[in-house]
Amino acid sequence: MLKLFLAELRRSWIISIRYPLQSIGRIFVFTSIFYGLFLSSRYVSGDAFQLGDRLDSIVIGYVLWTLTSFILASLAGELQIEAQTGTLEQLFLSRYGATKVFLMRMLADLSLQIVQIFGILVIIMILTGSRLNFPPTLLFPFVTVVLGANGFAFALGSLSLIFKRLQELLGLTQFPLLFLLTIPTENWTGSARILAAFLPMTPGAELLRDLMARGESLNLTKLLIAFINGAVYFAVGLWIFRQAEGKAKQQGILRGY
């Protein structure tokens, strides 16, 4: 598995240096979108524009949404590229299996996407004056968000495998994900609080807001809930992808690409 990961990492690196404008364009577009919204809000509010730590929370949610968008588009995009080049069937027949290949590819892509995300975060902080904390413990809730996002990516990838075209559906998922990653669930009480534990990636996003925006210490109970949440969505996504893989092989869909 390590050999496969290193091979996919080398592949991702080669692609990134051959097409640098894609990475630069991503950073510019996503930074511009947020800054445009920030300037519009400040203009509407006038002198009363004071967000405090709410701005930090919004920045965290937006950056997580950006990373999630990258992850979701990654697998579906890879499936379509492999299909267009005529190598998709070979991946499914490889000794590693398609699931392991795409999992390692997504992890390799993630290592490069994190660099882009950090660049977006730094630029937004400079432009808006946001001040975030970066304790080492933020790695744990960050992993839970990545798990949930990869689970969704495998689920959407399974649809791309069966139905081939998925651009419209990917676009429709962006706004619900933005809602899930920015909604202040820490203010919810009662049954709504229980519901928040079941929403995808939401517990991990809440923990990151606590750590980075408010400077709170890591809550182990919340962390356990976030890990269970991320692991469940990741496992469900993998299961759906494997079911779609079996259906594609059984119906000969791969040959139709």
Side-chain angles (χ1 to χ4, degrees):
M1 293 296 289
L2 178 60
K3 184 178 180 180
L4 175 61
F5 171 74
L6 293 176
E8 292 295 342
L9 182 61
R10 182 172 179 270
R11 172 188 173 277
S12 298
W13 172 250
I14 291 174
I15 293 175
S16 66
I17 60 178
R18 285 184 178 177
Y19 305 98
L21 289 180
Q22 182 177 356
S23 300
I24 297 173
R26 279 181 170 183
I27 294 174
F28 176 77
V29 169
F30 281 94
T31 302
S32 299
I33 291 173
F34 184 87
Y35 192 54
L37 293 173
F38 174 77
L39 291 178
S40 299
S41 300
R42 189 166 66 177
Y43 175 76
V44 171
S45 301
D47 296 334
F49 186 76
Q50 296 292 334
L51 289 176
D53 63 357
R54 293 181 181 179
L55 173 60
D56 299 334
S57 297
I58 293 171
V59 170
I60 294 168
Y62 181 80
V63 171
L64 287 177
W65 171 72
T66 303
L67 176 61
T68 302
S69 299
F70 289 176
I71 293 174
L72 292 182
S74 177
L75 181 57
E78 291 291 343
L79 283 168
Q80 292 184 7
I81 291 173
E82 294 291 346
Q84 291 170 0
T85 56
T87 56
L88 183 61
E89 189 171 358
Q90 284 79 358
L91 285 180
F92 279 85
L93 297 176
S94 69
R95 65 188 182 94
Y96 291 106
T99 302
K100 291 181 180 179
V101 171
F102 284 114
L103 180 59
M104 292 300 103
R105 185 170 296 184
M106 291 173 70
L107 289 176
D109 289 342
L110 178 64
S111 62
L112 300 179
Q113 290 166 355
I114 288 176
V115 177
Q116 298 177 42
I117 290 299
F118 186 74
I120 293 172
L121 178 59
V122 170
I123 295 173
I124 288 177
M125 289 176 64
I126 293 173
L127 293 175
T128 63
S130 174
R131 294 294 179 265
L132 299 175
N133 302 301
F134 292 90
T137 50
L138 68 85
L139 178 63
F140 300 111
F142 179 76
V143 169
T144 67
V145 175
V146 171
L147 280 174
N150 278 281
F152 264 82
F154 272 108
L156 289 176
S158 66
L159 295 177
S160 178
L161 183 63
I162 300 298
F163 299 107
K164 302 182 182 181
R165 299 291 182 181
L166 202 65
Q167 287 85 351
E168 293 81 5
L169 182 59
L170 281 173
L172 291 174
T173 61
Q174 300 305 309
F175 295 106
L177 286 175
L178 181 61
F179 171 79
L180 291 173
L181 293 169
T182 57
I183 187 170
T185 54
E186 54 270 24
N187 299 326
W188 291 8
T189 58
S191 58
R193 185 63 188 167
I194 298 175
L195 174 63
F198 293 92
L199 296 176
M201 297 171 283
T202 301
E206 178 184 332
L207 266 177
L208 285 171
R209 289 193 295 270
D210 290 342
L211 294 172
M212 300 177 68
R214 303 180 186 91
E216 299 178 5
S217 58
L218 184 63
N219 187 306
L220 296 180
T221 301
K222 288 184 178 181
L223 180 61
L224 178 60
I225 294 173
F227 263 115
I228 294 174
N229 180 284
V232 168
Y233 278 101
F234 180 70
V236 170
L238 276 181
W239 180 82
I240 293 174
F241 186 80
R242 286 172 178 166
Q243 296 300 311
E245 178 184 353
K247 182 177 181 181
K249 289 180 178 178
Q250 182 180 9
Q251 298 183 356
I253 294 177
L254 294 178
R255 298 182 183 275
Y257 272 90

